[in-house]
Amino acid sequence: MVDPQSLKSVIEQLNAAEPAEGKLSVKNKRARTVARLVLVQALYQMEIAGTGVESVIREFADFRFDGDIEGETLGAADEEFFAEGLRTIVQEQTNIDTLVSERLAANWRIDRIDTTLRAILRAGAWELKFRKDIGLEVVINEYVEIAKAFFGGEEARFVNGALDGIAKDTR
């Protein structure tokens, strides 16, 4: 699994940058933020290790949520949101990958993108296409901040541009 700066700093960074998400309480916004970060990590893990969706959902529910990772308490996550996202991304991967691929440079294939970056784009595309109850600004901002936590500015700008294009395609 790719490790961001530290879980605590990533969560703080995401919470500080996140626009208001509907009528969610602060606690529920934080749980949604944790779910997004863990969704990216789970997608990465599934691709690298070849594990199935249900076993990854069980692993995160049993051992990772509310647990200690890298010396940091992960905190409560919106487990339903996480599981829905993971299942839908797997079921709709062809459609989601098409959305992402349409935003890549000509002759650039999705499998050439870094695994973590691909996970970020798939998660963001899922929310933009299948969770229209969540504002597109929230979705784009959250995944741009996750990209910043794992990479630098160039990748975050790429995520911003790709997700902005996907938002125009799906909403």
Side-chain angles (χ1 to χ4, degrees):
M1 179 181 318
V2 173
D3 297 325
Q5 309 145 359
S6 84
L7 286 174
K8 184 178 180 183
S9 66
V10 171
I11 296 297
E12 288 172 359
Q13 179 181 343
L14 288 169
N15 285 327
E18 180 181 7
E21 188 171 346
K23 297 179 181 182
L24 293 179
S25 68
V26 171
K27 179 181 176 185
N28 289 340
K29 286 178 192 176
R30 177 177 165 79
R32 181 76 53 91
T33 294
V34 171
R36 287 183 177 110
L37 176 61
V38 174
L39 178 59
V40 169
Q41 291 183 321
L43 288 167
Y44 175 88
Q45 177 181 323
M46 288 175 63
E47 187 163 339
I48 296 300
T51 51
V53 66
E54 295 305 321
S55 65
V56 170
I57 290 170
R58 274 191 311 278
E59 175 188 340
F60 276 81
D62 293 345
F63 301 110
R64 299 204 182 193
F65 294 131
D66 292 323
D68 182 75
I69 301 175
E70 302 167 16
E72 302 286 347
T73 301
L74 184 57
D78 185 335
E79 293 186 45
E80 288 180 28
F81 182 83
F82 164 77
E84 174 194 341
L86 204 56
R87 286 181 181 118
T88 305
I89 292 166
V90 169
Q91 290 170 343
E92 298 289 337
Q93 186 170 336
T94 301
N95 294 327
I96 288 170
D97 284 358
T98 298
L99 288 170
V100 172
S101 294
E102 290 173 354
R103 293 300 164 178
L104 300 178
N107 300 320
W108 195 264
R109 295 183 327 269
I110 192 168
D111 61 338
R112 292 182 64 193
I113 299 174
D114 173 85
T115 306
T116 303
L117 193 56
R118 191 167 43 249
I120 292 168
L121 291 170
R122 283 174 173 159
W126 159 67
E127 278 197 66
L128 289 168
K129 180 160 178 68
F130 295 96
R131 291 299 307 258
K132 295 187 181 189
D133 58 310
I134 301 171
L136 64 97
E137 303 85 13
V138 171
V139 174
I140 293 170
N141 187 63
E142 286 272 295
Y143 290 105
V144 166
E145 292 301 320
I146 290 171
K148 287 179 186 176
F150 284 100
F151 302 103
E154 187 175 319
E155 289 87 351
R157 284 190 295 279
F158 172 69
V159 167
N160 186 49
L163 292 181
D164 185 57
I166 291 168
K168 289 175 183 163
D169 294 343
T170 61
R171 295 199 178 189

